[in-house]
C-alpha cells in the first residue's frame, strides 16, 4: 500500500553535496522505519543509512559515516539523505525503502516497500 518516490539525484563533482528526498504516500508514515540503499553499476545492493520511526535513532554504513546524514519529517511524509564530500565510489542508484520494526536495519530483505530509485553520479 505504501508508495515511495525518490528525487534529487544528479551529476555532481567529487567533493560536492547532494540532498535526496523520498516522499511516501499514506497517512501512517510515522509507523515505519526508513532506509536508504544503493546499487552501483555491476555491484550488489548495499545498505547506506536508516532512521527509526521517530527519527531518534540513525545508523550508517561505515563507507558513508561522517559524510551522509539521514533525517525525516513525519509531518511531510518525507525522508532525506544529505550527502556531503561525495566521492566517485558513491556513484549508484539510490533507493528509499520502508519497514515496520528496526532490527536488521541494514538488511534489504527486511524492507517491505521500495521506491523506483534515483541516479547519483559523482565525477572524478
Amino acid at each position: 500500500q505504501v508508495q515511495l518516490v525518490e528525487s534529487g539525484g544528479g551529476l555532481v563533482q567529487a567533493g560536492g553535496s547532494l540532498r535526496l528526498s523520498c516522499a511516501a504516500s499514506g497517512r501512517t508514515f510515522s509507523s515505519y522505519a526508513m532506509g536508504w540503499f544503493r546499487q552501483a553499476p555491476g555491484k550488489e545492493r548495499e545498505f547506506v543509512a536508516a532512521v527509526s520511526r521517530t527519527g531518534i535513532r540513525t545508523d550508517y554504513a561505515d563507507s558513508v559515516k561522517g559524510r551522509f546524514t539521514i533525517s525525516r519529517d513525519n509531518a511531510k511524509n518525507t525522508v532525506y539523505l544529505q550527502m556531503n564530500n561525495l566521492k566517485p565510489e558513491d556513484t549508484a542508484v539510490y533507493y528509499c525503502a520502508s519497514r515496520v520494526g528496526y532490527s536488521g536495519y541494514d538488511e534489504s530483505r527486511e524492507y517491505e516497500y521500495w521506491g523506483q530509485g534515483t541516479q547519483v553520479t559523482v565525477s572524478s
Side-chain angles (χ1 to χ4, degrees), residues 13-15 40 67 85-92 120-124:
Q13 181 86 25
R67 299 188 298 120
N85 191 24
L86 283 160
K87 305 175 180 180
E89 51 262 45
D90 294 319
T91 295
V120 172
T121 302
V122 184
S123 62
S124 59

Side-chain angles (χ1 to χ4, degrees), residues 52-124:
S52 63
R53 292 186 299 106
T54 64
I56 296 297
R57 178 173 176 176
T58 58
D59 292 275
Y60 301 90
D62 288 341
S63 59
V64 307
K65 208 167 293 181
R67 299 188 298 120
F68 290 11
T69 302
I70 187 171
S71 62
R72 67 189 299 160
D73 187 338
N74 287 351
K76 296 183 180 296
N77 283 14
T78 302
V79 63
Y80 305 95
L81 184 68
Q82 178 66 46
M83 305 183 294
N84 298 326
N85 191 24
L86 283 160
K87 305 175 180 180
E89 51 262 45
D90 294 319
T91 295
V93 176
Y94 284 70
Y95 296 91
C96 175
S98 67
R99 59 167 291 182
V100 296
Y102 201 72
S103 179
Y105 61 83
D106 60 343
E107 299 178 5
S108 61
R109 64 188 296 273
E110 297 294 335
Y111 289 79
E112 186 174 10
Y113 300 102
W114 293 81
Q116 83 290 348
T118 185
Q119 177 70 47
V120 172
T121 302
V122 184
S123 62
S124 59

Side-chain angles (χ1 to χ4, degrees), residues 12-33:
V12 298
Q13 181 86 25
S17 297
L18 203 62
R19 174 178 281 246
L20 305 184
S21 298
C22 174
S25 65
R27 297 154 46 208
T28 59
F29 177 71
S30 62
S31 297
Y32 297 90

Side-chain angles (χ1 to χ4, degrees), residues 40-57:
K43 307 289 181 61
E44 63 184 6
R45 185 171 297 184
E46 66 174 346
F47 167 75
V48 176
V51 61
S52 63
R53 292 186 299 106
T54 64
I56 296 297
R57 178 173 176 176

